[in-house]
């Protein structure tokens, strides 16, 4: 795979301008502040239960594993551990996608050291009278373009639930760390510090900026979707996260390109609001859906489609080339139809495009068949190469092949 900076340089004037705000060469690790994401806070004794009743993932499962009764000794070098984040979606009653959310729980206050490294009171258990650490607070990073409608939607569902819902984007920002070195190295070797940054690291000078996060124990956490996406986190707006050196901070479109090449959509622009079927956009493979939890909005369609066992269309990475296999820059716009060049039949639609790369929702049988030649409907000189991601489970295409053989 070509270095990220070199690939962006080939993607046209708009993408080349990214190089002035990003690193001069591919450093292996990049960090981007995600202006496309906003931060919403759900706070109250019923926050976790409220979210669990609405969202596709099992929010209570994470809560149960992070709030088991236990005693804590004053161990000076023990870091505050926030529970792992979760990825989830809110659907329409008909099972169509509305919003995606990354859910974060602050580390329990009883596990946090103060700024001097002093330990918490011996025997103090997580939580307290305010309920924090006991389902009392959940932060969510959401699509910034939809944050007002998202807030109104959740407030309509709130009814008598004891939960406050607020936009706290002026207080917090969402960041992502990604790249080849982050994706392919285990946390125990390349990035041992990335899972323990924040409060409780009295001797960790790399974490000093995160220690400004008042009571929350801010830290980088593994992206809940895929290892290749790196680390994600919410940090106070007035600080730079730890491990983000100035020469490695990059424009968000670097992260967009990384997601495009791995076939991962994010937000209501890339996953059409009110239209998209979550399983076609691979949300099950991205750990956004629990098939074991109780009821949630839109569950019936999701369960029926899942147990049927065959998803005939999926979001897949694309590359746009000419007849000589040379990549074409800025040649395709989102919404362009992809057709089989021989038959002229529509195979799918491009959903996202950046330079010579994109993603599209395509019929797998026509896309992945041997010797398939795909093109853009209104410009047959632009050929479309579909690239099956390495992270796809084998059964996604094996089941389709079995169905085709039977037919």
């Amino acid at each position: 795979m070509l270095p990220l900076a070199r690939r962006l340089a080939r993607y046209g004037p708009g993408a080349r301008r990214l190089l002035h705000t990003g690193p001069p060469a591919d450093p292996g690790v990049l960090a981007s502040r995600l202006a496309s994401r906003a931060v919403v806070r759900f706070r109250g004794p019923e926050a976790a239960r409220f979210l669990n009743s609405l969202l596709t993932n099992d929010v209570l499962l994470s809560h149960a594993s992070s709030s088991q009764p236990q005693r804590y000794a004053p161990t000076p070098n023990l870091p505050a551990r926030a529970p792992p984040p979760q990825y989830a979606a809110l659907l329409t009653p008909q099972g169509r996608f509305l919003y995606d959310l990354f859910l974060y729980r602050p580390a329990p206050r009883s596990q946090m050291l103060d700024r001097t490294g002093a330990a918490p009171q011996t025997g103090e258990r997580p939580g307290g009278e305010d309920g924090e650490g006991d389902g009392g607070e959940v932060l969510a990073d959401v699509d910034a373009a939809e944050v007002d409608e998202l807030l109104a939607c959740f407030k309509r569902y709130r009814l008598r639930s004891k939960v406050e819902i607020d936009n706290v984007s002026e207080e917090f920002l969402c960041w992502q760390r990604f790249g080849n070195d982050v994706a392919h190295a285990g946390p125990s070797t390349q990035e041992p510090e990335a899972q323990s940054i924040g409060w409780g690291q009295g001797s960790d000078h790399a974490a000093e900026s995160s220690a400004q996060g008042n009571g929350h124990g801010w830290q980088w956490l593994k992206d809940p979707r895929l290892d290749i996406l790196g680390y994600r986190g919410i940090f106070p707006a007035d600080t730079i996260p730890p491990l983000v050196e100035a020469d490695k901070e990059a424009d968000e479109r670097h992260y967009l390109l990384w997601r495009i090449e791995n076939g991962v959509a994010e937000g209501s622009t890339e996953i059409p609001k009110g239209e998209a079927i979550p399983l076609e956009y691979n949300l099950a493979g991205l750990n956004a859906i629990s098939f074991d939890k109780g009821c949630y909005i839109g569950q019936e369609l999701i369960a029926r489609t899942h147990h049927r066992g065959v998803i005939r269309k999926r979001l897949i990475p694309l590359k746009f080339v000419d007849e000589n296999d040379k990549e074409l820059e800025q040649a395709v716009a989102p919404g362009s139809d992809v057709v089989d060049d021989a038959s002229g039949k529509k195979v799918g639609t491009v959903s996202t495009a950046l330079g010579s790369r994109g993603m599209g929702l395509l019929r797998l049988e026509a896309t992945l068949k041997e010797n398939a030649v795909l093109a853009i409907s209104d410009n047959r000189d632009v050929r479309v190469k579909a690239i099956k991601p390495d992270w796809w489970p084998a059964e996604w295409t094996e089941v389709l092949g079995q169905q085709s053989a039977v037919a």
Side-chain angles (χ1 to χ4, degrees):
M1 182 179 290
L2 288 172
L4 184 59
R6 286 177 56 194
R7 294 200 304 275
L8 282 166
R10 295 162 47 189
Y11 287 169
R16 282 196 292 269
R17 283 196 295 271
L18 298 181
L19 300 177
H20 298 294
T21 57
D26 185 3
V29 180
L30 298 177
S32 294
R33 179 177 66 84
L34 304 185
S36 64
R37 307 296 290 184
V39 181
V40 172
R41 179 175 60 206
F42 299 87
R43 182 165 59 180
E46 297 179 359
R49 190 176 302 277
F50 169 73
L51 290 169
N52 193 66
S53 68
L54 301 176
L55 302 181
T56 55
N57 218 333
D58 193 339
V59 180
L60 293 180
L61 181 64
S62 173
H63 167 56
S65 64
S66 66
S67 60
Q68 295 298 320
Q70 52 186 306
R71 297 178 64 81
Y72 292 85
T75 306
N77 293 322
L78 181 66
R81 294 288 187 178
Q86 286 184 298
Y87 186 47
L90 179 68
L91 311 181
T92 68
Q94 294 75 34
R96 305 287 174 159
F97 176 89
L98 278 178
Y99 312 107
D100 62 349
L101 304 89
F102 293 82
L103 305 175
Y104 307 79
R105 294 178 180 280
R109 288 187 185 278
S110 59
Q111 295 183 32
M112 299 175 187
L113 310 186
D114 64 22
R115 298 183 194 280
T116 68
Q121 179 180 348
T122 304
E124 182 183 359
R125 62 169 292 179
E129 293 181 359
D130 61 357
E132 189 161 344
D134 192 24
E137 182 175 81
V138 179
L139 295 176
D141 84 61
V142 303
D143 190 335
E146 302 287 342
V147 64
D148 291 335
E149 292 186 18
L150 179 145
L151 286 170
C153 182
F154 275 105
K155 288 178 179 179
R156 286 196 301 271
Y157 283 121
R158 179 171 51 183
L159 301 177
R160 296 182 181 179
S161 298
K162 296 177 181 178
V163 55
E164 299 175 4
I165 309 170
D166 300 295
N167 183 354
V168 291
S169 299
E170 293 186 1
E171 301 175 41
F172 303 106
L173 297 174
C174 181
W175 288 74
Q176 188 90 18
R177 295 187 75 237
F178 60 98
N180 289 317
D181 288 355
V182 174
H184 298 138
S188 61
T189 54
Q190 179 69 25
E191 298 217 329
E193 72 275 44
Q195 290 191 346
S196 60
I197 292 301
W199 281 75
Q201 293 292 307
S203 60
D204 186 356
H205 300 292
E208 287 178 353
S209 64
S210 71
Q212 304 302 314
N214 52 59
H216 286 79
W218 311 109
Q219 56 191 240
W220 288 107
L221 297 163
K222 290 192 70 172
D223 192 300
R225 296 168 295 179
L226 299 169
D227 287 346
I228 57 174
L229 295 177
Y231 293 82
R232 198 176 182 101
I234 290 176
F235 297 90
D238 59 352
T239 66
I240 299 296
L243 308 180
V244 179
E245 296 82 2
D247 62 346
K248 291 186 180 180
E249 184 177 344
D251 187 280
E252 184 178 350
R253 281 180 288 181
H254 287 265
Y255 172 57
L256 170 59
L257 178 61
W258 187 254
R259 286 194 294 102
I260 286 175
E261 292 186 341
N262 287 289
V264 179
E266 187 174 293
S268 300
T269 300
E270 299 174 23
I271 311 174
K273 178 182 174 184
E275 300 177 9
I277 297 174
L279 297 183
E280 292 183 345
Y281 282 77
N282 305 326
L283 291 192
L286 297 173
N287 299 315
I289 300 174
S290 169
F291 296 103
D292 299 320
K293 66 172 286 187
C295 296
Y296 58 86
I297 297 173
Q299 181 189 32
E300 183 179 354
L301 174 67
I302 299 299
R304 185 170 64 245
T305 305
H306 171 68
H307 292 299
R308 188 180 297 145
V310 179
I311 309 297
R312 299 192 178 280
K313 293 189 295 182
R314 287 193 183 273
L315 188 75
I316 191 168
L318 307 174
K319 182 166 67 173
F320 309 121
V321 299
D322 63 16
E323 60 182 8
N324 297 316
D325 209 32
K326 180 181 178 181
E327 294 186 16
L328 297 175
E329 302 175 358
Q330 312 297 331
V332 179
S336 300
D337 288 340
V338 178
V339 299
D340 184 289
D341 193 51
S343 66
K345 291 183 178 180
K346 181 178 177 180
V347 173
T349 304
V350 176
S351 61
T352 307
L354 175 62
S356 63
R357 299 300 178 108
M359 293 185 288
L361 186 67
L362 307 184
R363 287 191 294 108
L364 294 183
E365 186 176 0
T367 301
L368 301 179
K369 70 181 180 181
E370 190 175 359
N371 299 323
V373 178
L374 307 179
I376 297 298
S377 175
D378 56 3
N379 187 355
R380 294 293 185 89
D381 292 333
V382 179
R383 301 293 174 85
V384 179
K385 286 192 169 184
I387 305 166
K388 187 177 74 170
D390 292 337
W391 63 267
W392 274 23
E395 57 265 25
W396 282 6
T397 51
E398 287 175 355
V399 172
L400 192 71
Q402 293 168 5
Q403 292 286 330
S404 300
V406 172

